[in-house]
Amino acid sequence: CCMCVSSILWSGFPVIYYFFPYSVTSAQGIPHDINTMHELWNVPTYRKRNKYFSSACLMTLIEELDDSVPEKAELQATVERLTTAYTEMSNKYHAEKHANPQNSLVLD
């Protein structure tokens, strides 16, 4: 998210790895990061390589592994498990967000 990437930048990490790309979170109905960047800076996303850091998506790196890498199948299974869990949490969030009196729905 915008806040996370800014905090990581200020911490001085030269490389940032993230799991879900914006296409996945947007498909899950949680496009807040993309919407924030567009509304604040009129950009679709942050630059993945810039003078402060470079970033890479773990899902992409796993898919790009050669099939001869013995851990690839296990990593792909982990991606599937995490994606399923994220989908379940996203569905729960969407089903309950309007009924939650503590949800301000600022970014809804």
Side-chain angles (χ1 to χ4, degrees):
C1 77
C2 302
M3 185 172 58
C4 296
V5 81
S6 295
S7 298
I8 294 168
L9 176 151
W10 282 100
S11 297
F13 288 91
V15 180
I16 299 171
Y17 295 97
Y18 57 93
F19 193 74
F20 288 114
Y22 286 136
S23 60
V24 171
T25 57
S26 291
Q28 297 291 349
I30 306 174
H32 307 311
D33 297 328
I34 294 171
N35 292 343
T36 300
M37 285 184 284
H38 178 72
E39 287 298 319
L40 293 177
W41 303 294
N42 198 29
V43 296
T45 186
Y46 66 90
R47 288 183 23 225
K48 305 299 185 229
R49 293 192 187 283
N50 55 66
K51 74 178 190 176
Y52 301 109
F53 62 82
S54 63
S55 65
C57 178
L58 292 173
M59 292 176 81
T60 302
L61 294 175
I62 290 167
E63 284 307 311
E64 290 175 349
L65 287 173
D66 190 87
D67 289 338
S68 65
V69 174
E71 297 85 4
K72 183 173 182 176
E74 181 181 345
L75 290 168
Q76 289 173 316
T78 300
V79 167
E80 186 62 35
R81 282 192 307 276
L82 291 172
T83 301
T84 298
Y86 184 82
T87 298
E88 291 169 1
M89 288 185 286
S90 176
N91 290 340
K92 181 175 174 58
Y93 163 73
H94 288 297
E96 299 176 3
K97 67 183 176 183
H98 292 289
N100 181 350
Q102 296 181 0
N103 186 350
S104 67
L105 300 174
V106 171
L107 297 175
D108 196 24

